[in-house]
Amino acid sequence: MSKKILLMVLLVGLALLSFGKTKISVWQFMMDDTLSKQVKAQFEAANPDIELEIVQLSWATGFDRIVTSIAAGSAPDVIELGNTWLATFASQGVLRPVDDIVGKVKDDYVAWNFVEYQEKTWGFPWLLAPRAMYYNLELLDKAGLDPDNPPKTWIELLNASAKIDALGPDIYGVGLCVGELYSPYQEWFLPAVWGNMGHFVSPDLKKATLNSDPVIETANYYRSLSNYALLGKESELAEAFGQGKLGFFFAGPAYINNTQRDYPETIFDVTLIPKPRDHHGYHASFAGGEVLGISSQCENVEEAWSVIEFLLSEEVAMQITRTTGEVFPTKVGIEKDPWFESHPLHATFLEQNKYAVPFPPLAEANKIEQLFTNIVEEILLTDAQIEEILQKYNQQIQNLL
C-alpha cells in the first residue's frame, strides 16, 4: 500500500471515529488554555462519545459575548456565569431550568441559593470566591496594635485604621474601592449592610429598603472610615497593600498568591470581616462565585449534564483551585482536602464563606449593581447627606423591581 493510500485510509478512519460523536461546547472564565486542554483530555478519555470544546472568555467582554451569541442563535451548550448574572439570564429565557437534574447532586454541593430564581433552579453552583479582610502585621505592630488580634468589630477597625493612618503621609488605615463597577459595593459596603442585619430589598423582592435604619447606619460608618482610607480601584489598593501602605484591605482570595509572589517582603494575614458590634450582627461577606448553566438552545441536554457533572467533580474543581488560588469547589466537605492544610490563608476564606451572602436574585441585577457603585462613591466622595443619597437611589432601585 502506497503512503498516499495509507494516509487516505487513516483520514477516513479518523473521520469515521469522529462521526457520531456529540459535540458539547463550554464557554467559561476560570480555566486558562493549558488547564482547559488537560480537562478536555480527561473528559474525552472517560467519555469517548462526546467531543468537548472549551472556550475561555474574559471578564471584560464575556458578558457581551454571551449576549451576542444568544441573539444570534449560536449560544454554547454550557455557560459559566458569575452568580450575580444568573437571574438576569434566567429571566430572559437564556437558560434551561434544571430542576429535573439537580436531585442527582443536591446533597453533594453547597450554595444552591446562587442558582435559584422564581422558585426554579437554573444552574449548578461550581466555584466559590467570598471576600475576607487582609491585614498587614507589621503596620499593626508599628501602630501599637496586637498583630495576633486583628479587629473583630466596626469600632475596633475604625480605631485601628486611625492609628495606622497616623504612622505617616504615605500610610493609610484601610483601602476602600471606588472608580469601577462591582468592587465598590461587593468588597465591603453591601456585606456591611447585611452584617448590620439590613437589606436593600424586602424578602419578597418587591420593595426597596435602601432608606432603612441599618443601611443608614452602615453608610454613616463607611463615611467615617473613609477619613483613614485610601480610595481607588481594587487593583490599585492591592498594589498599595503589597507595598506596605495599607493596614486593611477587603478582597477575595486572588490576592493571596499575587501578594506573596510580587511583594514577598510584606507580611500579612487574612481574617473574617468585622461585624458591627460584639452582640449585634455578623461577619457578613459577599458570596461571589461561579455557576454552570445549560443554554436553552442546547439540543443535547444529557451530554451537557455529563460535562457539568465532570466539571463539578472535586478532582476537576480542585485542579482549578490549585492552579488559580482564586476560587474553591462547592463540594460538601471540601475543607478536608489536604491542600487547605498547607494553605491556611486560603482556608480562612472557607471559614468566611459560612457568613457569605449572595446578591438577591433580581432580573435587573446588573443595572442595580451599577447603581450601587454610584451609591458608594457618593457616600465616600461627596458631602451630600447620607439620608438624601439613600432616598434618591432607593427610588431608582424601586423603579427596577
Side-chain angles (χ1 to χ4, degrees), residues 24-39:
I24 297 296
S25 57
V26 178
W27 285 14
Q28 57 82 40
F29 296 85
M30 293 308 303
M31 296 186 289
D32 62 16
D33 188 53
T34 300
L35 184 54
S36 292
K37 289 179 179 176
Q38 293 175 5
V39 170

Side-chain angles (χ1 to χ4, degrees), residues 13-14 39 194 204 229 243 261 301 308 334 367 380 399:
L14 289 172
V39 170
W194 292 327
D204 63 2
Q243 293 172 341
R261 181 193 63 224
V301 173
I308 289 177
I334 197 64
K367 294 178 181 177
L380 296 180
N399 294 340

Side-chain angles (χ1 to χ4, degrees), residues 218-287:
T218 303
N220 277 302
Y221 172 75
Y222 220 63
R223 178 171 280 177
S224 67
L225 195 60
S226 70
N227 292 323
Y228 314 109
L230 175 64
L231 307 181
K233 297 178 180 178
E234 184 175 280
S235 60
E236 295 169 344
L237 300 182
E239 182 179 2
F241 183 80
Q243 293 172 341
K245 298 179 179 179
L246 277 185
F248 306 99
F249 170 51
F250 304 92
Y255 293 104
I256 295 174
N257 291 353
N258 293 347
T259 304
Q260 291 174 334
R261 181 193 63 224
D262 298 338
Y263 306 98
E265 72 285 358
T266 297
I267 303 172
F268 69 97
D269 205 340
V270 180
T271 189
L272 301 185
I273 291 176
K275 65 179 187 177
R277 292 182 284 279
D278 282 334
H279 303 292
H280 173 72
Y282 63 106
H283 302 281
S285 168
F286 187 82

